[in-house]
Amino acid sequence: GFFLRYAYDNEWIGPVGQVSIGVSAGLALLVAGWKKDRQGWRIFSRMLTSGGIVVLYVSTFSAFGFYHLVPQSVAAVFLAILVAESALLALSYDSVAIGVMAVVGGLLTPLLMHSDHDQYVSLFVYLGILTAGSLALLAVRPWPVIGTLALVGTQGVYWGWYVGNYHPEKLAWAMGFQAVVFALHWGQGLVSATVRREGSTWEDVARSSLNAGLTFGAMLALLEDRHSHWQSALAMLFAGVYAVTARVLIAHPERSRRMLLVAVGISSGFIALAFPLEASASWVALGWSVQAAVLWWFGIRVEQRPLR
């Protein structure tokens, strides 16, 4: 490792050579992990496989996000293949540890490959593909931690970018990225609440709330500078999304009762947030009073003690 770093710093090996060495090393680790698994070395094989996945993530991201060796459209295909490969390895070994390391490695890659020039488009495309792959893995194996790790980690990487690199001219890309990540997690949560026989877990409930809160907070910060008059409309948009979610769950015969309560609660919370974002203090108090009266009436009509 020290030799390679010395060779890179002295430009003995160019960008193509560096990426090629990384890809070769990652593939070698995957093959070694497969051989050790065949020999019965379960823990060691998963260590090697996880390491190979991380090295491949770094090498692939560096090829388009750091060295610009391949265009973004081509890199997106490679990233999709890599995410699918990581998921298949986790499934074939039936190892949640490999799945977790695939997500962690993917989240660490943009941090390790930090550049002086802001590659925000490449970063957003990369994180979107990583999120989609992580949630696709959950559709096959409802492993704990992976969905929440992907959500919190993606938002953490985003906020690291926001603090150091955000400019109003990047508003459209940042809003679009947040909308895509929100839609992916929201869609996966709705599918799990209606399709999965065992229903939604407590992690699904927590992730649904986190997804709503983190996305809304990020969008609120983006609108704060020049578009603050749209903040209350954003709150009502989120309230509408979760009201529709609740309506879909009510109509579904195998709905998750737990997720239904969460959807109604989140929708009510966003309606309450819209008042202070739009109105003056006296009108806020009046609006909250009206909402409280409506919720009280709704609680009487609905024979659900937790909802009351």
Side-chain angles (χ1 to χ4, degrees):
F2 281 119
F3 168 75
L4 287 177
R5 180 55 187 264
Y6 187 76
Y8 295 165
D9 291 343
N10 288 276
E11 298 183 353
W12 296 352
I13 304 174
V16 175
Q18 294 178 30
V19 173
S20 300
I21 290 173
V23 171
S24 300
L27 292 174
L29 286 170
L30 294 184
V31 172
W34 176 77
K35 287 185 176 181
K36 289 301 177 184
D37 182 71
R38 302 274 290 185
Q39 296 172 5
W41 294 45
R42 291 179 55 82
I43 297 177
F44 189 43
S45 70
R46 281 141 183 76
M47 292 169 62
L48 293 172
T49 303
S50 299
I53 290 171
V54 173
V55 172
L56 286 176
Y57 270 125
V58 174
S59 302
T60 306
F61 183 79
S62 65
F64 82 98
F66 195 72
Y67 292 127
H68 308 291
L69 298 177
V70 294
Q72 182 176 312
S73 57
V74 176
V77 176
F78 282 110
L79 285 172
I81 293 173
L82 181 56
V83 171
E85 178 199 24
S86 303
L88 289 174
L89 285 169
L91 293 174
S92 62
Y93 289 129
D94 196 19
S95 172
V96 64
I98 293 178
V100 169
M101 280 306 302
V103 176
V104 171
L107 293 170
L108 287 177
T109 295
L111 303 180
L112 296 173
M113 301 305 300
H114 177 71
S115 173
D116 294 333
H117 182 63
D118 182 19
Q119 307 288 342
Y120 65 96
V121 175
S122 300
L123 176 65
F124 291 160
V125 171
Y126 172 79
L127 291 175
I129 294 174
L130 180 65
T131 299
S134 302
L135 297 179
L137 180 60
L138 284 182
V140 182
R141 291 282 195 281
W143 284 327
V145 179
I146 288 181
T148 304
L149 181 63
L151 172 63
V152 175
T154 298
Q155 291 291 355
V157 173
Y158 165 81
W159 278 105
W161 167 84
Y162 178 86
V163 171
N165 297 287
Y166 177 70
H167 188 272
E169 67 182 13
K170 305 171 186 176
L171 173 65
W173 272 99
M175 290 289 286
F177 167 73
Q178 287 293 336
V180 168
V181 172
F182 171 80
L184 288 171
H185 284 279
W186 172 81
Q188 192 275 332
L190 184 60
V191 170
S192 68
T194 54
V195 174
R196 194 186 299 170
R197 290 184 177 181
E198 60 271 22
S200 300
T201 64
W202 283 109
E203 184 189 2
D204 294 327
V205 170
R207 182 156 53 88
S208 180
S209 303
L210 276 174
N211 185 36
L214 292 175
T215 305
F216 181 75
M219 288 186 170
L220 208 64
L222 290 169
L223 296 175
E224 179 65 31
D225 188 22
R226 301 182 181 182
H227 306 280
S228 58
H229 55 283
W230 286 103
Q231 290 178 331
S232 59
L234 179 67
M236 292 305 297
L237 176 62
F238 272 78
V241 168
Y242 281 95
V244 170
T245 303
R247 185 68 186 86
V248 171
L249 292 174
I250 289 174
H252 201 278
E254 297 181 1
R255 63 181 178 270
S256 169
R257 181 167 169 266
R258 186 182 295 162
M259 191 62 78
L260 172 60
L261 298 176
V262 170
V264 173
I266 293 176
S267 181
S268 301
F270 278 120
I271 293 173
L273 277 173
F275 292 115
L277 289 172
E278 181 68 24
S280 59
S282 57
W283 288 103
V284 171
L286 178 61
W288 280 345
S289 299
V290 172
Q291 184 181 5
V294 171
L295 290 175
W296 177 76
W297 169 82
F298 186 62
I300 294 176
R301 291 292 302 274
V302 179
E303 296 181 1
Q304 292 287 340
R305 187 179 299 275
L307 196 56
R308 292 180 181 180

